[in-house]
């Protein structure tokens, strides 16, 4: 049974074929036998191309099958996050999702093992090809591996017939993997070429119907049936008038849009990009994505080739496949400015653009209950004579209170700590909350991390959608040595967060250590940005005036226009003061919401720890206060008009 989408919107491209989970060894230069940890990502040539083209602004979809298990759901969910239409992703209850194990042992040596025995995507059939779905596409991409079995071949042939009947372009990625045709052993997954008359005969039947044919030198040779590239090109041209793209690795590509001469170089070439080759796996899929963005976007072939070369350069300079494909803003920046680094993964500007344009979920507004306090609740426990171990149970009540207010609606969150909040994380995730977790030692000045200097080892254990929160008491009049020490610690947090793919919220409190003027906090942010700290979020105290907020917003816009925004903290202010603070931000669009704690929980916590109120009363009181603040925020941003 084929799933269908609710809206029959036009599609630029539908890719067809392999869909797997790639498990990449993280120890570069190691044999696959010696790998000890792996990074998980979506893989498979057609699926990578669907993601790559979506990142470049095309409306893409993929026809494939995945298993009815966690890996299949991972692929489906990641495709949706990337903006790929999943209406043709079929769930196969009988088969497992394909897996691939990979390592980067040396340049041009990347051992890989395909776990594809009777896998889901190789069970694709004609029945999975929905005519109405494919009629929406301007182009389709068929791939070589899926011509290796009768059922998958029939599916691709049907898709090609529908495309031709509807005037869509047919693009062929030769995607030749000898061992997926049964021509090499399990250990030879990286093998690129084994001559085979049977494979050539099969592929030659595909060529006449194609508008675009893309392959490496080895793939052109297998498609053309010759061990000489030029002869193979001429053989392909004898069967097809298609535009042919010859991928030549570090030498870029040559595009042939007419007769093939005796000069291999006599074709259309784009700009080349000399970069370090770090990992060749996935480069062809990124290349194809870039070419399709130009080819289907109405650009000339030289421009399409340039974009393809640039996208391939990104891929070979990074480790993974689909996660490393560039977004269009990233591609535009690279084409306009280049990079001072041959290893693009070391370019901080490109890395930042890549990060901010691939973040997982948007939060246009945010109402968060801050219950990450440790020392303050320990003080309350001592004051009331309560066992400190009860703090964990109270935090569960606070999260339940926030969940009642949210009632399943988006835009709500919690700040919750590792020390006492671990038992509440599950309820927060179940509620769909934005979740931030502190790493600072409570009250530390200069800033210190709570769980030791090696912050990266701690953060890698966190769920990928948990936000790292780091509070720093920083005033621009602080002694220079103190400013330098705190900036260095924030830089370590920033670098660790982005190295492991976690968002960072930096909380700045200046007013406890000096006067607040209209430019105080803006000055702090400017200094941190100039030092290289670019958090995804800022958490800031209420400002003295709208002019102060304007100054803050101007600094952020100047240094990082992709910043997610600001959340307002409470500092235990009474509700009327918070309402006034909310109103002062009304004209500052970067302020996305608030994260308030003690104003909501302090009194209920004191009485609950003392045994004066029960669980339900504590939850109800916190929910009422949180609900009132949400209403006040909504009123400040969306005032009722007569």
């Amino acid at each position: 049974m084929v799933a269908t989408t609710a809206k029959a919107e036009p599609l630029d491209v539908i890719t067809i074929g392999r869909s797997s989970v790639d498990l990449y060894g993280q120890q570069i230069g190691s044999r696959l036998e010696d790998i000890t940890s792996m990074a998980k990502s979506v893989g498979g040539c057609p699926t990578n191309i669907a993601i790559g083209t979506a990142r470049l602004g095309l409306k893409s979809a993929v026809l494939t099958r995945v298993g009815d298990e966690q890996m299949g759901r991972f692929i489906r969910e990641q495709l949706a996050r990337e903006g790929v239409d999943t209406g043709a992703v079929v769930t196969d209850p009988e088969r497992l999702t394909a897996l691939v194990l990979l390592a980067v042992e040396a340049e041009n040596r990347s051992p890989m093992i395909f776990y594809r025995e009777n896998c889901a995507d190789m069970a694709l059939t004609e029945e999975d090809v929905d005519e109405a779905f494919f009629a929406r596409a301007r182009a389709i991409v068929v791939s070589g591996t899926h011509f290796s079995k009768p059922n998958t071949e029939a599916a691709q042939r049907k898709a090609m017939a529908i495309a031709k009947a509807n005037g869509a372009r047919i693009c062929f990625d030769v995607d030749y993997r000898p061992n997926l045709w049964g021509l090499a052993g399990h250990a030879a997954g990286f093998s690129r070429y084994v001559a085979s008359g049977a494979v050539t005969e099969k592929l030659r039947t595909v060529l006449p119907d194609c508008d675009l044919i893309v392959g490496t030198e080895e793939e052109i040779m297998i498609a053309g049936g010759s061990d000489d590239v030029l002869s193979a090109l001429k053989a392909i041209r004898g069967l097809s008038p298609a535009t042919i793209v010859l991928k030549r690795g570090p030498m870029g590509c040559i595009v042939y849009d007419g007769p093939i001469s005796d000069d291999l170089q006599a074709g259309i070439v784009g700009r080349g990009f000399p970069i370090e080759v770090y990992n060749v796996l996935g480069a062809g899929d990124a290349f194809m994505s870039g070419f399709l963005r130009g080819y289907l976007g109405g650009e000339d072939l030289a421009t399409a080739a340039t974009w393809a070369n640039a996208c391939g350069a990104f891929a070979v300079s990074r480790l993974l496949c689909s996660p490393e494909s560039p977004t269009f803003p990233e591609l535009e920046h690279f084409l306009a400015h280049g990079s001072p680094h041959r290893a693009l993964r070391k370019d901080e500007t490109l890395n930042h653009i890549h990060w901010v344009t691939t973040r997982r979920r948007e939060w246009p507004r945010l109402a968060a209950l801050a219950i990450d306090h440790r020392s303050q609740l320990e003080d309350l426990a001592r004051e009331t004579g309560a066992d400190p171990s009860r703090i964990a149970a109270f935090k569960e009540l606070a999260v339940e209170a926030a969940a009642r207010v949210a009632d399943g609606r988006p835009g709500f969150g919690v700040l919750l700590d590792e020390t006492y909040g671990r038992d509440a994380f599950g309820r927060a995730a179940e509620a769909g909350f934005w979740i931030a977790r502190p790493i600072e030692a409570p009250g530390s000045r200069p800033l210190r991390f709570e769980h030791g200097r090696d912050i990266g080892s701690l953060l890698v254990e966190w769920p990928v959608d948990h936000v790292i929160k780091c509070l720093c008491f920083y005033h621009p009049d602080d002694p220079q040595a103190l400013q330098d020490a705190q900036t260095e610690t924030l830089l370590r947090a920033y670098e660790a967060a982005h190295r492991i793919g976690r968002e960072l919220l930096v909380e700045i409190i200046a007013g406890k250590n000096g006067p607040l003027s209209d430019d105080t906090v803006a000055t702090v942010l400017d200094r941190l940005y100039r030092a290289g700290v670019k958090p995804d979020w800022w958490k800031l105290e209420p400002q003295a005036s709208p002019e102060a907020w304007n100054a803050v917003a101007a600094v952020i816009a100047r240094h990082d226009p992709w910043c997610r925004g600001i959340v307002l903290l409470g500092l235990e202010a009474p509700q009327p003061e918070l309402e006034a603070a909310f109103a002062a931000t009304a004209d500052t669009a970067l302020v996305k919401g608030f994260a308030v704690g003690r104003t909501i929980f302090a009194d209920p916590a004191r009485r609950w720890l003392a045994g004066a109120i029960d669980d339900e009363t504590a939850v109800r009181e916190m929910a009422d206060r949180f609900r009132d603040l949400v209403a006040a925020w909504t009123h400040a941003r969306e005032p009722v008009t007569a």
Side-chain angles (χ1 to χ4, degrees):
M1 179 179 177
V2 179
T4 57
T5 54
K7 287 185 179 180
E9 297 177 350
L11 293 166
D12 292 308
V13 61
I14 302 174
T15 66
I16 307 168
R18 290 193 287 131
S19 191
S20 64
V21 172
D22 289 351
L23 300 175
Y24 261 95
Q26 294 180 296
Q27 290 74 51
I28 307 304
S30 291
R31 303 181 309 154
L32 196 49
E33 294 90 332
D34 299 324
I35 294 298
T36 59
S37 62
M38 292 182 158
K40 182 181 72 172
S41 64
V42 173
C45 167
T47 308
N48 288 339
I49 294 169
I51 290 173
T53 50
R55 287 187 170 189
L56 294 173
L58 295 182
K59 294 185 183 300
S60 67
V62 57
L63 169 63
T64 189
R65 283 194 183 198
V66 297
D68 188 15
E69 21 75 351
Q70 290 86 348
M71 295 299 99
R73 288 192 286 276
F74 163 67
I75 290 174
R76 184 183 290 275
E77 291 171 10
Q78 185 59 29
L79 288 170
R81 280 191 287 266
E82 296 280 3
V84 176
D85 189 314
T86 60
V89 177
V90 181
T91 297
D92 187 329
E94 304 297 327
R95 297 170 181 83
L96 291 171
T97 304
L99 298 177
V100 185
L101 273 57
L102 315 95
V104 178
E105 191 172 322
E107 184 176 337
N108 288 318
R109 189 165 72 248
S110 297
M112 54 199 302
I113 303 173
F114 290 97
Y115 286 79
R116 297 183 53 81
E117 187 68 30
N118 194 31
C119 68
D121 71 57
M122 288 305 293
L124 208 62
T125 69
E126 289 181 90
E127 286 70 35
D128 297 323
V129 182
D130 180 78
E131 184 168 356
F133 190 88
F134 272 79
R136 295 163 49 193
R138 297 172 51 222
I140 67 168
V141 176
V142 294
S143 49
T145 299
H146 271 54
F147 287 107
S148 66
K149 301 292 183 185
N151 57 296
T152 53
E153 177 184 4
Q156 293 204 121
R157 298 280 188 186
K158 180 179 177 181
M160 292 169 70
I162 296 169
K164 181 169 288 190
N166 287 276
R169 302 185 201 185
I170 299 173
C171 309
F172 180 30
D173 190 318
V174 181
D175 182 35
Y176 180 47
R177 301 280 184 176
N179 73 340
L180 299 186
W181 286 80
L183 300 175
H186 292 308
F190 189 62
S191 173
R192 285 293 191 264
Y193 184 68
V194 173
S196 168
V199 174
T200 296
E201 182 179 354
K202 178 68 68 176
L203 298 185
R204 284 168 68 92
T205 67
V206 180
L207 304 176
D209 292 318
C210 296
D211 299 289
L212 176 68
I213 299 167
V214 180
T216 62
E217 293 182 338
E218 296 87 351
E219 288 168 343
I220 292 298
M221 290 191 298
I222 194 69
S226 172
D227 289 336
D228 173 70
V229 176
L230 185 59
S231 297
L233 284 167
K234 290 184 176 183
I236 292 172
R237 177 58 77 231
L239 293 168
S240 174
T243 298
I244 304 171
V245 181
L246 173 65
K247 298 186 290 187
R248 307 188 74 198
M251 294 183 289
C253 69
I254 304 174
V255 183
Y256 305 95
D257 197 34
I260 308 296
S261 75
D262 291 332
D263 181 1
L264 188 67
Q265 309 295 327
I268 300 167
V269 297
R271 285 169 54 194
F273 302 94
I275 44 86
E276 175 201 65
V277 177
Y278 185 63
N279 172 32
V280 298
L281 300 174
D285 304 336
F287 175 97
M288 184 68 159
S289 300
F291 194 89
L292 288 171
R293 175 63 174 84
Y295 179 69
L296 298 176
E299 305 293 340
D300 58 59
L301 291 173
T303 298
T306 295
W307 292 1
N309 290 340
C311 289
F314 278 104
V316 299
S317 187
R318 295 169 172 171
L319 177 60
L320 306 179
C321 290
S322 63
E324 314 292 27
S325 283
T327 61
F328 200 64
E330 191 179 1
L331 177 61
E332 286 184 306
H333 182 91
F334 179 59
L335 292 172
H337 304 287
S339 173
H341 301 275
R342 284 180 56 84
L344 298 185
R345 68 187 177 280
K346 297 180 180 179
D347 189 313
E348 288 303 318
T349 299
L350 288 174
N351 288 343
H352 183 64
I353 298 172
H354 185 79
W355 168 252
V356 299
T357 53
T358 58
R359 288 181 293 213
R360 291 173 68 90
R361 182 176 173 184
E362 292 302 315
W363 295 92
R365 61 163 261 169
L366 186 60
L369 172 56
I371 189 66
D372 59 325
H373 304 70
R374 284 89 78 207
S375 60
Q376 296 93 335
L377 283 166
E378 289 167 350
D379 290 343
L380 282 179
R382 282 191 292 271
E383 176 187 321
T384 58
D387 186 335
S389 65
R390 297 189 68 209
I391 295 172
F394 179 77
K395 296 203 174 196
E396 291 186 77
L397 299 180
V399 171
E400 179 58 35
R404 289 189 187 180
V405 176
D407 193 27
R409 295 175 293 165
F412 288 83
V414 291
L415 277 73
L416 198 58
D417 61 293
E418 179 95 3
T419 306
Y420 296 110
R422 177 168 288 278
D423 292 341
F425 281 130
R427 180 66 179 108
E430 179 185 288
F433 284 161
W434 174 91
I435 300 172
R437 300 167 64 168
I439 58 171
E440 77 280 353
S444 58
R445 191 170 188 266
L447 171 65
R448 291 181 293 105
F449 298 136
E450 185 173 24
H451 299 288
R453 294 174 57 84
D454 185 11
I455 192 66
S457 296
L458 168 70
L459 299 179
V460 77
E461 300 174 0
W462 290 15
V464 294
D465 53 357
H466 283 199
V467 177
I468 301 159
K469 171 247 172 182
C470 191
L471 164 60
C472 184
F473 296 96
Y474 191 127
H475 193 279
D477 295 339
D478 287 340
Q480 191 61 50
L482 176 58
Q483 291 188 52
D484 291 345
Q486 304 218 109
T487 299
E488 178 60 30
T489 305
L490 286 171
L491 268 172
R492 295 207 336 261
Y494 169 72
E495 291 170 356
H498 285 258
R499 189 172 298 118
I500 62 167
R502 304 295 191 277
E503 292 190 27
L504 173 67
L505 177 151
V506 171
E507 178 176 357
I508 296 295
I509 297 180
K512 287 186 178 294
N513 297 284
L516 278 181
S517 63
D518 284 349
D519 65 351
T520 301
V521 174
T523 299
V524 173
L525 268 56
D526 185 67
R527 291 179 185 176
L528 293 176
Y529 272 126
R530 291 180 185 280
V533 179
K534 291 185 176 181
D536 302 274
W537 297 90
W538 293 101
K539 185 170 179 241
L540 304 176
E541 61 204 300
Q543 297 299 295
S545 67
E547 288 73 25
W549 281 119
N550 290 339
V552 166
V555 167
I556 295 174
R558 182 165 66 251
H559 289 286
D560 185 13
W562 291 285
C563 177
R564 280 199 184 273
I566 303 163
V567 289
L568 192 68
L569 60 89
L571 292 177
E572 205 173 358
Q575 183 165 325
E577 289 185 21
L578 284 178
E579 291 180 6
F582 291 172
T585 71
D587 295 327
T588 307
L590 264 174
V591 181
K592 299 298 179 64
F594 63 88
V596 172
R598 283 172 289 173
T599 303
I600 296 169
F601 74 73
D603 183 58
R606 180 179 290 104
R607 291 185 292 125
W608 184 85
L609 287 168
I613 58 174
D614 61 12
D615 292 359
E616 176 57 29
T617 302
V619 170
R620 187 176 63 252
E621 289 187 5
M622 286 188 284
D624 287 345
R625 295 176 188 208
F626 188 37
R627 188 177 295 108
D628 287 346
L629 283 181
V630 171
W633 175 264
T634 302
H635 178 76
R637 287 306 176 102
E638 304 168 11
V640 177
T641 57

